[in-house]
Structures are given as C-alpha cells and as structure tokens.
Amino acid sequence: MEKIKHSHIEVKGLKLHVAEIGSGPKAVVFLHGFPEIWYTWRHQMIAVANSGYRAIAFDFRGYGLSEHPADPEKETMFDLIDEIIGLLDSLSISKAFLVGKDFGAIPGYLAAAVHPERVAAIITLGIPFILPGPAVVQSHLLLPKGFYITRWREPGRAEADFGRFDVKSVIRNIYTLFSGSEVPVAADDQEIMDLYDPSTPLPPWFSEEDLATYASLYEKSGFKYALQVPYRSIDAEIGLSDPKVTVPALLIMGEKDYVFKFPGMEDNIRSGAVKNIVPNLEIIYIPEGSHFVHEQFPEKVNQLIIKFLDKQSI
C-alpha cells in the first residue's frame, strides 16, 4: 500500500484524485461504485501491478478527494464517460483496460460502447451492462416502494436519513446491509438506515481500519454528488439507442449478490441475454460471493482479472 502514489490530475476542468502503482506498458483503470472510493481497489491494484500492469484508480468527480463540479444536480452518467476518456487523455494513455464495480460498471461499459478505440477490454463486478434511462426506473417500480434506490432518488430523503448519523456510521451501515443477499427495502415507517442492526458486526473481510479510510474520504466529499450520480440521474437519456460493447468483456458475479434480485436481472445474466449487447462477454460466478466480492475474496478475483487481462492485447 505504501508504494501507491497519489496525485491530483486536472480532467475536464476538475482536479481528480488519482492513485497509481506499477509501471507496465498496459494500463488498467479501476472505476469504483458506492459507497466505495479508489481504496476499494487496494487488493486488485497491487496484484495487477505485480503482474506487470500499470494500475490506476481514481475518485470520480464529487467523490472522495476529487473536486466537485459547479452544478452537481445537472450531472449524469454521461459526464463520467467523458471523465474516463479525459483521464486517459491527461495521462497520455491511448488505450486501457477498464475494471468497474457497482455503478462504476455503467460508465465503463458506455465508454467502451462510445469509444471502443480507447478501451482494450472491460471487466465488471456486480453489475452487467445497464443502459441508463426511464426504463431503469420503470423496472424499480416492480419492487416495493421502500426499495433503497427509490428512496435515495427522492430529493432530501437520503440527506435527512444519513444526516442522523456521522459519516463513519453511514458507511458502516450501508456496507453491512449491502453485503447481504437481500435487496435493502424499508417499511413505510422506516428509512434505509433503520434497516441496520447495530449488533451486526462488520463483514470479516472489512476491517475497522478500512472503515476509517472510507469514512475519512467521504467526510471530505459528503454524499451530495453520490446521490445525484448514479441514483437521481439514472433515468437520464444519454442519447444511445442501440449500444453495443464489442470489446472483450468479463462479468464477475457473487452468487449471493443482492443485485440478482433486481427485477429481471438474474434471468438477463444467466440466460445470456446480456450478450445481445455485449457479445464477447464471459461470465464467472463466485459461490458465496457478495456484492463486494473483490474485497471479500480478493485473491480469487485478482486471479480471474489477471488471467483475463493476460489473454488480451492493446
């Protein structure tokens, strides 16, 4: 960890916090989800660097140590596509491998669809290809109205819910809740934070030190941008009617990931329907794996990532 170098790099007028290790000719850019940050990739960064790759993880705009845009409420996932390509430009990287987790998978796939000449291959964890737009929110209506995304999309509601706790408690609550196999859904008289049972310990693969690191980064950024992108902008049209991701792709899913219980999600993945959009997709399932499978079983995930990368060329 002490060999990871940190810097701030200007991309599209904003200074982004970038963590980097390794000096190989092939770059791997890691894209975090929520409530994650660059640090979520600590195990993978070191492993790919030790295998000869240049590992780069950054905090998306508005997250962690990166600057916020002037009008965060106007931001959508499309801004993150531009940010990924802009980061490659700023680092003078002509083509890279992308690795995305949770919502980070979405702009990763879209970057590969819109700019295939810049993406050598893509790996995602926990989320297959999803095209933002009204249809995504329509599918959420099939779940109870206490569904966490529906709640977090409501202006002011998550702010009031989270605001009852310090940042460290919010991160602990979400990490613990979202490590389970059930979709977090609140009753009418509950908020999402109320679902957390204080007697539940942290997952064994997530230490108090890890929690403190996440908390220190979110204390800097708050949750304003995170609630906008992805949650409150997931229904925004981004102007792609029939996207295709033709680069080689790998999807790693934990068998106990609660995302499988989103409407239509499991069938879309297990039936192979997702390959209609990502034809060169390989899917690997990890028994007992949760939504945070890369932190839960880092050695297994590292092995899968490196094996896949070693088969590709730039």
Side-chain angles (χ1 to χ4, degrees):
M1 286 292 289
E2 65 276 3
K3 292 182 180 178
I4 295 176
K5 297 175 183 176
H6 296 266
S7 62
H8 278 81
I9 295 174
E10 186 159 323
V11 177
K12 303 290 182 182
L14 295 175
K15 288 182 179 175
L16 303 183
H17 168 244
V18 178
E20 190 169 347
I21 186 172
S23 56
K26 297 179 180 180
V28 184
V29 178
F30 293 91
L31 313 169
H32 68 79
F34 178 79
E36 297 144 334
I37 212 74
W38 79 267
Y39 181 81
T40 196
W41 296 114
R42 59 200 179 280
H43 306 298
Q44 286 70 45
M45 291 179 72
I46 293 167
V48 301
N50 287 341
S51 294
Y53 294 90
R54 179 183 178 187
I56 300 161
F58 70 104
D59 296 340
F60 280 124
R61 55 175 58 201
Y63 282 82
L65 302 179
S66 291
E67 288 185 338
H68 286 247
D71 297 308
E73 64 280 354
K74 295 180 181 177
E75 297 272 307
T76 72
M77 207 70 75
F78 208 82
D79 293 292
L80 302 188
I81 303 172
D82 289 343
E83 183 159 278
I84 294 165
I85 301 303
L87 179 64
L88 298 184
D89 291 341
S90 294
L91 294 173
S92 300
I93 297 170
S94 60
K95 201 170 191 178
F97 298 109
L98 300 182
V99 183
K101 157 72 174 51
D102 187 65
F103 89 81
I106 301 175
Y109 272 126
L110 294 174
V114 178
H115 302 283
E117 76 285 356
R118 305 299 301 275
V119 179
I122 182 166
I123 301 170
T124 67
L125 298 90
I127 296 282
F129 180 93
I130 293 175
L131 182 64
V136 174
V137 178
Q138 285 297 314
S139 73
H140 294 167
L141 298 179
L142 299 173
L143 287 162
K145 61 183 180 180
F147 174 47
Y148 76 95
I149 293 180
T150 303
R151 287 287 182 89
W152 290 354
R153 282 177 49 78
E154 189 178 325
R157 188 153 193 171
E159 290 88 337
D161 185 14
F162 294 178
R164 297 178 294 155
F165 305 92
D166 60 25
V167 169
K168 188 175 183 179
S169 296
V170 173
I171 299 295
R172 172 188 273 115
N173 296 1
I174 295 175
Y175 236 89
T176 306
L177 282 172
F178 288 56
S179 296
S181 59
E182 297 299 322
V183 177
V185 175
D188 288 349
D189 60 349
Q190 283 182 314
E191 298 301 329
I192 298 300
M193 291 295 101
D194 296 329
L195 297 174
Y196 172 70
D197 180 351
S199 68
T200 305
L202 282 174
W205 38 265
F206 192 72
S207 69
E208 287 288 345
E209 181 183 357
D210 294 333
L211 175 61
T213 300
Y214 276 84
S216 69
L217 293 166
Y218 273 98
E219 282 166 359
K220 295 278 197 307
S221 64
F223 299 107
K224 183 174 184 178
Y225 192 88
L227 290 168
Q228 174 64 20
V229 181
Y231 302 106
R232 292 174 185 164
S233 62
I234 195 68
D235 59 339
E237 294 277 12
I238 61 169
L240 290 177
S241 56
D242 186 25
K244 283 281 190 291
V245 177
T246 56
V247 303
L250 171 65
L251 171 62
I252 300 172
M253 292 294 300
E255 292 275 13
K256 299 294 179 67
D257 192 328
Y258 72 88
V259 169
F260 269 129
K261 294 180 179 171
F262 282 25
M265 184 67 76
E266 183 161 16
D267 182 61
N268 183 44
I269 296 171
R270 293 197 191 274
S271 72
V274 68
K275 294 183 182 181
N276 294 330
I277 299 172
V278 190
N280 297 313
L281 178 67
E282 178 184 358
I283 305 172
I284 296 177
Y285 304 95
I286 297 183
E288 302 304 317
S290 71
H291 191 57
F292 303 102
V293 68
H294 64 303
E295 292 180 282
Q296 181 186 11
F297 298 120
E299 290 182 5
K300 176 64 175 174
V301 170
N302 294 348
Q303 178 188 10
L304 294 173
I305 288 175
I306 292 165
K307 181 180 178 183
F308 177 79
L309 292 176
D310 284 348
K311 292 189 296 185
Q312 314 305 324
S313 60
I314 288 187

